[in-house]
Amino acid sequence: MAVATGKKLDARALRADFPIFEQLIHGRPLAYLDSANSSQKPRQVLDAMTEFYETSYANVHRAVHVLGERATAGLEGARDKVRRFLNARDGREVIFVRNATEGLNLVAYSWGGNNLGPGDAVVVTELEHHSNFVPWQYVARRNGADFLMLPIDENGDPDLSTLDDIARDHTVKVVATNLVSNSLGTIADLGPLVRWAHDHGAIFVCDAAQAAPHMRVDAQALDCDFLAISGHKMCGPSGIGALWGRGELLRSMEPFLLGGHMISSVRYEKTTWGELPHKFEAGTSPIAEAVGLGAAIDYLEAAGPEAIEAHEHELAAYALGRLGEVPGITLYGPPADRRAGVVSFNLEGIHPHDVAQILDRSGVAIRAGHHCCQPLMHKLGVAATNRASFYLYTVPEEIDQLVDGLYTVRKVFA
Ligand SMILES: Cc1ncc(COP(=O)(O)O)c(C=O)c1O
């Protein structure tokens, strides 16, 4: 296992853990610069899942046989790893969901659906991913509450100057923002907004889908009320994410999905709900996926979230410098020290999809599109951008391959 690194991350050594890099794409080494979309998986995660399926798989909680016990231990062990990873106090506050989107919908429907009404407001920012925007917009309006968006200022940060006006006209019940923007990479300073939300009696919902893979995320230090992550963005499998929430809030909420496992008793006259976390985990859990997420967390902890963040700042600085040399390029977002490993850009006169398609021919994988951030694209005055994103296995040569590819793109369109 190559993850016994010291303080500074050794991306080259880590890269050897990822089988996906053992192939050529269109005859070229793979420059995978799409990790903000979904990350690659190390052998440690793949092996943990295979071993679990080969030796310990059964359904959880319901079986009294050995395999059922092993599988339950695997799922609950993973829950405790998530708890420690997020520095949550109690594993019962960690709900397994399919992904961050489902976690945020759970809060919007189960908390928002029962606590929002006319005169209330939900506040989000212009930087949100649709997953932390659309559920709030929908539930707020369905309940007759207002849905308000803080615009971003010239530095790309949410403009907090209108907050007090908002509070004068509304009872603000929810403030929901991301910790790291998937489109610009901006690392938010959430402190002032969290304090403001709590001072005004609102809950604070943190979308940590992009933060958890790239930096230390401490739910207690952030002082948020709910926080959502996705396993597939942090070296884990797809199909699993986690929602952390304050126990007293989760206990007070109605369930989100109903059916097997989430009940205490079912009678024709009345059904009662199970305890946390089961109340929010209807149906068969993503069992092997949880084991994979647990292995991914072990992997990230061994590499060190602080070392991952520092590595990404270095790569972002290198990328901003190298990309800045390309004629006709527009770079979006903050300086490297305030961003995770994400660089969005456009080449003058060339549609991002064309850029991405031509880059693919030279083995470079980036994302082109609106990145599920249409309000932000609207603000930037573009329909789409290209986005290169980096992770713990990214090496500077991949950024060089991207820059070389962009010169080829320019030649094709010359
Ligand atoms: C900031 C942010 N929030 C939420 C999501 C949604 O994640 P998922 O599609 O895994 O639910 C993403 C995915 O790109 C994201 O970047």
PDB file of all heavy atoms in Angstrom, residues 165-189:
ATOM      1  N   ASP A 165     -31.250  42.997   5.381  1.00  0.00           N
ATOM      2  CA  ASP A 165     -32.510  43.384   4.706  1.00  0.00           C
ATOM      3  C   ASP A 165     -33.430  42.175   4.580  1.00  0.00           C
ATOM      4  O   ASP A 165     -34.643  42.266   4.789  1.00  0.00           O
ATOM      5  CB  ASP A 165     -32.221  43.931   3.300  1.00  0.00           C
ATOM      6  CG  ASP A 165     -31.574  45.297   3.378  1.00  0.00           C
ATOM      7  OD1 ASP A 165     -31.683  45.932   4.454  1.00  0.00           O
ATOM      8  OD2 ASP A 165     -30.944  45.717   2.380  1.00  0.00           O
ATOM      9  N   ILE A 166     -32.820  41.051   4.220  1.00  0.00           N
ATOM     10  CA  ILE A 166     -33.622  39.821   4.071  1.00  0.00           C
ATOM     11  C   ILE A 166     -34.293  39.485   5.402  1.00  0.00           C
ATOM     12  O   ILE A 166     -35.484  39.178   5.455  1.00  0.00           O
ATOM     13  CB  ILE A 166     -32.721  38.646   3.603  1.00  0.00           C
ATOM     14  CG1 ILE A 166     -32.272  38.857   2.155  1.00  0.00           C
ATOM     15  CG2 ILE A 166     -33.442  37.307   3.752  1.00  0.00           C
ATOM     16  CD1 ILE A 166     -31.272  37.842   1.638  1.00  0.00           C
ATOM     17  N   ALA A 167     -33.505  39.578   6.485  1.00  0.00           N
ATOM     18  CA  ALA A 167     -34.053  39.206   7.802  1.00  0.00           C
ATOM     19  C   ALA A 167     -35.144  40.173   8.257  1.00  0.00           C
ATOM     20  O   ALA A 167     -36.016  39.803   9.037  1.00  0.00           O
ATOM     21  CB  ALA A 167     -32.931  39.152   8.832  1.00  0.00           C
ATOM     22  N   ARG A 168     -35.077  41.418   7.759  1.00  0.00           N
ATOM     23  CA  ARG A 168     -36.110  42.394   8.132  1.00  0.00           C
ATOM     24  C   ARG A 168     -37.467  41.989   7.548  1.00  0.00           C
ATOM     25  O   ARG A 168     -38.505  42.146   8.171  1.00  0.00           O
ATOM     26  CB  ARG A 168     -35.701  43.778   7.610  1.00  0.00           C
ATOM     27  CG  ARG A 168     -36.220  44.921   8.451  1.00  0.00           C
ATOM     28  CD  ARG A 168     -35.507  46.229   8.132  1.00  0.00           C
ATOM     29  NE  ARG A 168     -34.088  46.188   8.402  1.00  0.00           N
ATOM     30  CZ  ARG A 168     -33.115  46.484   7.521  1.00  0.00           C
ATOM     31  NH1 ARG A 168     -33.413  46.843   6.294  1.00  0.00           N
ATOM     32  NH2 ARG A 168     -31.847  46.431   7.868  1.00  0.00           N
ATOM     33  N   ASP A 169     -37.435  41.422   6.343  1.00  0.00           N
ATOM     34  CA  ASP A 169     -38.685  41.118   5.641  1.00  0.00           C
ATOM     35  C   ASP A 169     -39.147  39.671   5.788  1.00  0.00           C
ATOM     36  O   ASP A 169     -40.241  39.323   5.350  1.00  0.00           O
ATOM     37  CB  ASP A 169     -38.515  41.401   4.141  1.00  0.00           C
ATOM     38  CG  ASP A 169     -38.180  42.856   3.894  1.00  0.00           C
ATOM     39  OD1 ASP A 169     -38.526  43.681   4.758  1.00  0.00           O
ATOM     40  OD2 ASP A 169     -37.559  43.157   2.859  1.00  0.00           O
ATOM     41  N   HIS A 170     -38.263  38.811   6.304  1.00  0.00           N
ATOM     42  CA  HIS A 170     -38.607  37.380   6.358  1.00  0.00           C
ATOM     43  C   HIS A 170     -38.164  36.771   7.674  1.00  0.00           C
ATOM     44  O   HIS A 170     -37.258  37.277   8.325  1.00  0.00           O
ATOM     45  CB  HIS A 170     -37.861  36.591   5.262  1.00  0.00           C
ATOM     46  CG  HIS A 170     -38.165  37.019   3.876  1.00  0.00           C
ATOM     47  ND1 HIS A 170     -37.490  38.049   3.251  1.00  0.00           N
ATOM     48  CD2 HIS A 170     -39.058  36.551   2.985  1.00  0.00           C
ATOM     49  CE1 HIS A 170     -37.969  38.197   2.030  1.00  0.00           C
ATOM     50  NE2 HIS A 170     -38.926  37.306   1.845  1.00  0.00           N
ATOM     51  N   THR A 171     -38.774  35.639   7.978  1.00  0.00           N
ATOM     52  CA  THR A 171     -38.196  34.767   9.005  1.00  0.00           C
ATOM     53  C   THR A 171     -37.306  33.773   8.261  1.00  0.00           C
ATOM     54  O   THR A 171     -37.816  32.894   7.553  1.00  0.00           O
ATOM     55  CB  THR A 171     -39.310  34.004   9.755  1.00  0.00           C
ATOM     56  OG1 THR A 171     -40.218  34.972  10.282  1.00  0.00           O
ATOM     57  CG2 THR A 171     -38.734  33.168  10.876  1.00  0.00           C
ATOM     58  N   VAL A 172     -36.005  33.966   8.375  1.00  0.00           N
ATOM     59  CA  VAL A 172     -35.106  33.059   7.639  1.00  0.00           C
ATOM     60  C   VAL A 172     -35.018  31.748   8.413  1.00  0.00           C
ATOM     61  O   VAL A 172     -34.634  31.727   9.575  1.00  0.00           O
ATOM     62  CB  VAL A 172     -33.702  33.696   7.449  1.00  0.00           C
ATOM     63  CG1 VAL A 172     -32.791  32.721   6.716  1.00  0.00           C
ATOM     64  CG2 VAL A 172     -33.826  34.998   6.686  1.00  0.00           C
ATOM     65  N   LYS A 173     -35.399  30.667   7.747  1.00  0.00           N
ATOM     66  CA  LYS A 173     -35.428  29.351   8.415  1.00  0.00           C
ATOM     67  C   LYS A 173     -34.237  28.482   8.016  1.00  0.00           C
ATOM     68  O   LYS A 173     -33.846  27.596   8.774  1.00  0.00           O
ATOM     69  CB  LYS A 173     -36.730  28.616   8.055  1.00  0.00           C
ATOM     70  CG  LYS A 173     -37.995  29.226   8.669  1.00  0.00           C
ATOM     71  CD  LYS A 173     -38.248  28.596  10.032  1.00  0.00           C
ATOM     72  CE  LYS A 173     -39.521  29.070  10.698  1.00  0.00           C
ATOM     73  NZ  LYS A 173     -40.720  28.434  10.159  1.00  0.00           N
ATOM     74  N   VAL A 174     -33.732  28.703   6.808  1.00  0.00           N
ATOM     75  CA  VAL A 174     -32.649  27.849   6.305  1.00  0.00           C
ATOM     76  C   VAL A 174     -31.641  28.709   5.552  1.00  0.00           C
ATOM     77  O   VAL A 174     -32.033  29.572   4.745  1.00  0.00           O
ATOM     78  CB  VAL A 174     -33.181  26.792   5.289  1.00  0.00           C
ATOM     79  CG1 VAL A 174     -32.048  25.898   4.786  1.00  0.00           C
ATOM     80  CG2 VAL A 174     -34.290  25.954   5.887  1.00  0.00           C
ATOM     81  N   VAL A 175     -30.355  28.484   5.839  1.00  0.00           N
ATOM     82  CA  VAL A 175     -29.297  28.990   4.961  1.00  0.00           C
ATOM     83  C   VAL A 175     -28.562  27.757   4.460  1.00  0.00           C
ATOM     84  O   VAL A 175     -28.135  26.909   5.263  1.00  0.00           O
ATOM     85  CB  VAL A 175     -28.328  29.940   5.701  1.00  0.00           C
ATOM     86  CG1 VAL A 175     -27.227  30.402   4.762  1.00  0.00           C
ATOM     87  CG2 VAL A 175     -29.087  31.143   6.270  1.00  0.00           C
ATOM     88  N   ALA A 176     -28.445  27.623   3.135  1.00  0.00           N
ATOM     89  CA  ALA A 176     -27.846  26.410   2.555  1.00  0.00           C
ATOM     90  C   ALA A 176     -26.778  26.808   1.547  1.00  0.00           C
ATOM     91  O   ALA A 176     -27.083  27.481   0.559  1.00  0.00           O
ATOM     92  CB  ALA A 176     -28.931  25.578   1.870  1.00  0.00           C
ATOM     93  N   THR A 177     -25.531  26.432   1.825  1.00  0.00           N
ATOM     94  CA  THR A 177     -24.453  26.759   0.868  1.00  0.00           C
ATOM     95  C   THR A 177     -23.433  25.628   0.814  1.00  0.00           C
ATOM     96  O   THR A 177     -23.373  24.776   1.696  1.00  0.00           O
ATOM     97  CB  THR A 177     -23.690  28.059   1.235  1.00  0.00           C
ATOM     98  OG1 THR A 177     -22.731  27.768   2.237  1.00  0.00           O
ATOM     99  CG2 THR A 177     -24.595  29.156   1.711  1.00  0.00           C
ATOM    100  N   ASN A 178     -22.592  25.703  -0.229  1.00  0.00           N
ATOM    101  CA  ASN A 178     -21.505  24.718  -0.309  1.00  0.00           C
ATOM    102  C   ASN A 178     -20.287  25.240   0.436  1.00  0.00           C
ATOM    103  O   ASN A 178     -20.163  26.437   0.701  1.00  0.00           O
ATOM    104  CB  ASN A 178     -21.177  24.405  -1.770  1.00  0.00           C
ATOM    105  CG  ASN A 178     -20.648  25.595  -2.523  1.00  0.00           C
ATOM    106  OD1 ASN A 178     -19.642  26.190  -2.129  1.00  0.00           O
ATOM    107  ND2 ASN A 178     -21.307  25.970  -3.603  1.00  0.00           N
ATOM    108  N   LEU A 179     -19.389  24.317   0.749  1.00  0.00           N
ATOM    109  CA  LEU A 179     -18.115  24.690   1.374  1.00  0.00           C
ATOM    110  C   LEU A 179     -17.051  24.872   0.295  1.00  0.00           C
ATOM    111  O   LEU A 179     -16.165  25.717   0.416  1.00  0.00           O
ATOM    112  CB  LEU A 179     -17.707  23.598   2.378  1.00  0.00           C
ATOM    113  CG  LEU A 179     -16.394  23.722   3.122  1.00  0.00           C
ATOM    114  CD1 LEU A 179     -16.231  25.097   3.762  1.00  0.00           C
ATOM    115  CD2 LEU A 179     -16.296  22.644   4.200  1.00  0.00           C
ATOM    116  N   VAL A 180     -17.161  24.074  -0.765  1.00  0.00           N
ATOM    117  CA  VAL A 180     -16.273  24.245  -1.924  1.00  0.00           C
ATOM    118  C   VAL A 180     -17.151  24.226  -3.173  1.00  0.00           C
ATOM    119  O   VAL A 180     -17.968  23.315  -3.348  1.00  0.00           O
ATOM    120  CB  VAL A 180     -15.218  23.116  -2.000  1.00  0.00           C
ATOM    121  CG1 VAL A 180     -14.459  23.180  -3.321  1.00  0.00           C
ATOM    122  CG2 VAL A 180     -14.241  23.198  -0.832  1.00  0.00           C
ATOM    123  N   SER A 181     -16.953  25.233  -4.025  1.00  0.00           N
ATOM    124  CA  SER A 181     -17.737  25.324  -5.262  1.00  0.00           C
ATOM    125  C   SER A 181     -17.182  24.354  -6.299  1.00  0.00           C
ATOM    126  O   SER A 181     -15.980  24.336  -6.556  1.00  0.00           O
ATOM    127  CB  SER A 181     -17.672  26.759  -5.794  1.00  0.00           C
ATOM    128  OG  SER A 181     -17.771  26.770  -7.202  1.00  0.00           O
ATOM    129  N   ASN A 182     -18.083  23.562  -6.899  1.00  0.00           N
ATOM    130  CA  ASN A 182     -17.626  22.608  -7.907  1.00  0.00           C
ATOM    131  C   ASN A 182     -17.250  23.300  -9.203  1.00  0.00           C
ATOM    132  O   ASN A 182     -16.501  22.763 -10.009  1.00  0.00           O
ATOM    133  CB  ASN A 182     -18.720  21.574  -8.195  1.00  0.00           C
ATOM    134  CG  ASN A 182     -19.960  22.195  -8.781  1.00  0.00           C
ATOM    135  OD1 ASN A 182     -20.524  23.118  -8.202  1.00  0.00           O
ATOM    136  ND2 ASN A 182     -20.390  21.707  -9.923  1.00  0.00           N
ATOM    137  N   SER A 183     -17.727  24.511  -9.405  1.00  0.00           N
ATOM    138  CA  SER A 183     -17.515  25.167 -10.691  1.00  0.00           C
ATOM    139  C   SER A 183     -16.281  26.069 -10.662  1.00  0.00           C
ATOM    140  O   SER A 183     -15.467  26.060 -11.585  1.00  0.00           O
ATOM    141  CB  SER A 183     -18.764  25.976 -11.028  1.00  0.00           C
ATOM    142  OG  SER A 183     -18.648  26.479 -12.305  1.00  0.00           O
ATOM    143  N   LEU A 184     -16.126  26.846  -9.585  1.00  0.00           N
ATOM    144  CA  LEU A 184     -14.989  27.763  -9.490  1.00  0.00           C
ATOM    145  C   LEU A 184     -13.916  27.255  -8.527  1.00  0.00           C
ATOM    146  O   LEU A 184     -12.810  27.801  -8.493  1.00  0.00           O
ATOM    147  CB  LEU A 184     -15.458  29.147  -9.025  1.00  0.00           C
ATOM    148  CG  LEU A 184     -16.484  29.850  -9.918  1.00  0.00           C
ATOM    149  CD1 LEU A 184     -16.795  31.242  -9.377  1.00  0.00           C
ATOM    150  CD2 LEU A 184     -16.002  29.925 -11.361  1.00  0.00           C
ATOM    151  N   GLY A 185     -14.240  26.248  -7.741  1.00  0.00           N
ATOM    152  CA  GLY A 185     -13.266  25.713  -6.781  1.00  0.00           C
ATOM    153  C   GLY A 185     -13.145  26.545  -5.519  1.00  0.00           C
ATOM    154  O   GLY A 185     -12.381  26.181  -4.612  1.00  0.00           O
ATOM    155  N   THR A 186     -13.895  27.632  -5.420  1.00  0.00           N
ATOM    156  CA  THR A 186     -13.783  28.541  -4.272  1.00  0.00           C
ATOM    157  C   THR A 186     -14.011  27.807  -2.948  1.00  0.00           C
ATOM    158  O   THR A 186     -15.012  27.103  -2.784  1.00  0.00           O
ATOM    159  CB  THR A 186     -14.866  29.648  -4.363  1.00  0.00           C
ATOM    160  OG1 THR A 186     -14.887  30.133  -5.705  1.00  0.00           O
ATOM    161  CG2 THR A 186     -14.590  30.772  -3.374  1.00  0.00           C
ATOM    162  N   ILE A 187     -13.065  27.989  -2.016  1.00  0.00           N
ATOM    163  CA  ILE A 187     -13.255  27.457  -0.660  1.00  0.00           C
ATOM    164  C   ILE A 187     -13.892  28.582   0.154  1.00  0.00           C
ATOM    165  O   ILE A 187     -13.299  29.650   0.329  1.00  0.00           O
ATOM    166  CB  ILE A 187     -11.914  27.025  -0.036  1.00  0.00           C
ATOM    167  CG1 ILE A 187     -11.256  25.928  -0.905  1.00  0.00           C
ATOM    168  CG2 ILE A 187     -12.121  26.525   1.399  1.00  0.00           C
ATOM    169  CD1 ILE A 187      -9.847  25.543  -0.467  1.00  0.00           C
ATOM    170  N   ALA A 188     -15.105  28.331   0.620  1.00  0.00           N
ATOM    171  CA  ALA A 188     -15.849  29.399   1.301  1.00  0.00           C
ATOM    172  C   ALA A 188     -15.394  29.555   2.742  1.00  0.00           C
ATOM    173  O   ALA A 188     -15.007  28.575   3.394  1.00  0.00           O
ATOM    174  CB  ALA A 188     -17.340  29.059   1.267  1.00  0.00           C
ATOM    175  N   ASP A 189     -15.448  30.790   3.215  1.00  0.00           N
ATOM    176  CA  ASP A 189     -15.274  31.039   4.647  1.00  0.00           C
ATOM    177  C   ASP A 189     -16.685  31.066   5.224  1.00  0.00           C
ATOM    178  O   ASP A 189     -17.368  32.095   5.195  1.00  0.00           O
ATOM    179  CB  ASP A 189     -14.572  32.393   4.835  1.00  0.00           C
ATOM    180  CG  ASP A 189     -14.545  32.795   6.297  1.00  0.00           C
ATOM    181  OD1 ASP A 189     -14.778  31.918   7.147  1.00  0.00           O
ATOM    182  OD2 ASP A 189     -14.297  33.986   6.578  1.00  0.00           O
TER     183      ASP A 189
END
